[in-house]
């Protein structure tokens, strides 16, 4: 906490043996330090003025409530039932992070329910509390496999989000050479857009700690060879990590059924709004084996009988191995900023139930494929692969002679966010965009997009 009392600051410096606050920052190289005065606006000295200032800034944003959005790629627009919002705003959840044994017990039960329901979806019995994002979950899982196997090579099969890939690379790096995990990419079959299985055979060897794939992949395509990919990893003694969208699990088989050792993914689709980049969280799940449990970086919640006949209690397991129990000696660092979203997730999964996930998955499939057919009928526009995708698909604008950036700018004038421009991160695809359609999109929404695209492209 910041402290402006000079006597207290002097006492703190004396206790740590520093002569000044400046001495604490000597480790920062000179060329990294700002030497000029910061051009800051005048201080705002009243709460009313500050509120107005922030409101004016926020008003400049173009949000997905006032505009029609076809963006995805990591944060998606899904319907959030009102009860999810009602529950997460209740005071007992907002304030119950760490407290008395009484409040902790209720919190632990809620966390247990979330992990149990997610485990049912994934067909995996061990589910940890969520970490900061899908990318973080993948990074933690990769580090888990490196510790389990004593190996230091990761093979990534198929396309992965640039944002997730950036986080994965960070987790695989290290200031200590012996802890670096080499990242190797297996290309895709240009015809199918899926993992080149023949190439994967050549890449996976006795140095491989894990094969990481996403199903569906970043381009929305179902990885039909997922079971074969898992078998290749197992044959080499490597682990298989599968990244999965939990909303697909009403229409496709869960990761455990085709050989996943560890599953990761985002919890944001499970009843969490898009919060200007916030609201994200990532789950880690695995088979219920002690060797996996001993490597989890995050909280595990258990149920056990109490001293009262027929009564059960809920508590944290293997707490000592987390960064809370061992600080920098824990199994990677994790924090609790995403734990509130488990309450929304538990409510969301309970509301849907098994059949609800089936209906939701089918609705998303129907909406996305309907949109792809209509968009693909526009002159000069092509759907890169017209089948086998879930909620996201590639739209090729190369034949139109227009850039995706130009098209998206024009669409915004119509109150529409177009798809993610892939021309920078995937230059080989040219002017291609990743479009996302979910259960919130109606036929009228899709027709509005098609009409706007037709007008934009005819200019």
């Amino acid at each position: 906490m910041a402290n402006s009392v000079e006597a207290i600051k002097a006492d703190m410096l004396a206790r740590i043996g520093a002569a000044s606050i400046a001495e604490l920052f000597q480790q920062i190289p000179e060329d990294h330090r700002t030497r000029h005065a910061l051009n800051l606006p005048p201080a705002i000295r009243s709460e009313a003025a500050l509120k107005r200032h922030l409101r004016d800034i926020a008003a400049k944003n173009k949000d997905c409530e006032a505009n029609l959005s076809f963006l995805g790629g990591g944060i998606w627009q899904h319907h959030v039932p009102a009860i999810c919002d009602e529950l997460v705003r209740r005071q007992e959840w907002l304030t119950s992070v760490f407290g008395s044994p009484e409040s902790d017990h209720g919190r632990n039960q809620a966390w247990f329910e979330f992990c149990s329901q997610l485990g049912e979806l994934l067909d995996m019995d061990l589910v940890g509390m969520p970490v900061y994002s899908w990318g973080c979950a993948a990074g933690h899982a990769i580090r888990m496999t490196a510790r389990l196997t004593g190996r230091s090579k990761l093979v990534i099969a198929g396309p992965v989000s640039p944002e997730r890939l950036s986080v994965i690379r960070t987790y695989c790096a290290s200031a200590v050479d012996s802890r670096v995990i080499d990242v190797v990419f297996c290309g895709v079959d240009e015809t199918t857009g899926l993992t080149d299985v023949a190439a994967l055979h050549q890449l996976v060897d006795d140095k491989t700690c894990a094969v990481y794939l996403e199903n569906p992949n970043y381009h929305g395509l179902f990885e039909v060879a997922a079971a074969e990919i898992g078998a290749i990893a197992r044959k080499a003694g490597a682990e298989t990590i599968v990244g999965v969208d939990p909303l697909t699990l009403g229409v496709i088989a869960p990761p455990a059924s085709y050989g996943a050792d560890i599953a990761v993914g985002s919890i944001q689709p499970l009843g969490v709004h898009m919060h200007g980049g916030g609201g994200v969280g990532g789950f880690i799940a695995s088979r219920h084996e002690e060797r996996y449990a001993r490597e989890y970086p995050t909280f595990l919640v258990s149920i056990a009988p109490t001293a009262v006949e027929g009564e059960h209690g809920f508590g944290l397991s293997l707490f000592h191995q987390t960064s809370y129990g061992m600080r920098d000696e824990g199994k990677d660092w994790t924090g609790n900023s995403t734990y509130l979203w488990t309450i929304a997730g538990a409510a969301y999964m309970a509301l849907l139930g098994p059949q609800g996930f089936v209906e939701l998955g089918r609705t998303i499939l129907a909406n996305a494929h309907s949109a792809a057919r209509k968009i693909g009928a526009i002159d000069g526009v092509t759907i890169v692969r017209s089948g086998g995708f879930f909620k996201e698909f590639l739209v090729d604008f190369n034949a139109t002679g227009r850039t995706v950036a130009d098209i998206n700018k024009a669409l915004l004038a119509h109150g529409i966010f177009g798809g993610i421009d892939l021309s920078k991160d995937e230059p080989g695809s040219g002017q291609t965009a990743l479009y996302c359609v979910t259960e919130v999109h109606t036929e009228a929404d899709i027709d509005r997009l098609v009409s706007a695209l037709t007008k934009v492209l005819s200019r």
Side-chain angles (χ1 to χ4, degrees), residues 330-342:
K331 303 287 187 178
D332 292 330
W333 168 258
T334 185
N336 63 14
S337 66
T338 63
Y339 293 172
L340 177 61
W341 299 126
T342 63

Side-chain angles (χ1 to χ4, degrees), residues 160 220 230 306 311 436 442:
V160 176
T306 71
E311 183 181 75
C436 176
T442 65

Side-chain angles (χ1 to χ4, degrees), residues 360-381:
L360 176 60
R362 289 175 176 173
T363 299
I364 293 173
L365 282 169
N367 288 358
H369 282 78
S370 173
R373 285 192 296 270
K374 291 185 176 183
I375 295 170
I378 300 172
D379 189 36
V381 179

Side-chain angles (χ1 to χ4, degrees), residues 301-370:
V301 189
S302 293
I303 183 173
T306 71
V308 179
E309 184 69 28
E311 183 181 75
H312 290 85
F314 303 87
L316 302 180
S317 298
L318 301 179
F319 180 88
H320 68 282
Q321 70 188 34
T322 69
S323 53
Y324 289 98
M326 297 179 67
R327 307 314 293 172
D328 57 331
E329 297 299 321
K331 303 287 187 178
D332 292 330
W333 168 258
T334 185
N336 63 14
S337 66
T338 63
Y339 293 172
L340 177 61
W341 299 126
T342 63
I343 308 304
Y348 183 89
M349 289 185 280
L351 282 170
L352 259 67
Q355 187 57 34
F357 273 92
V358 172
E359 294 172 5
L360 176 60
R362 289 175 176 173
T363 299
I364 293 173
L365 282 169
N367 288 358
H369 282 78
S370 173

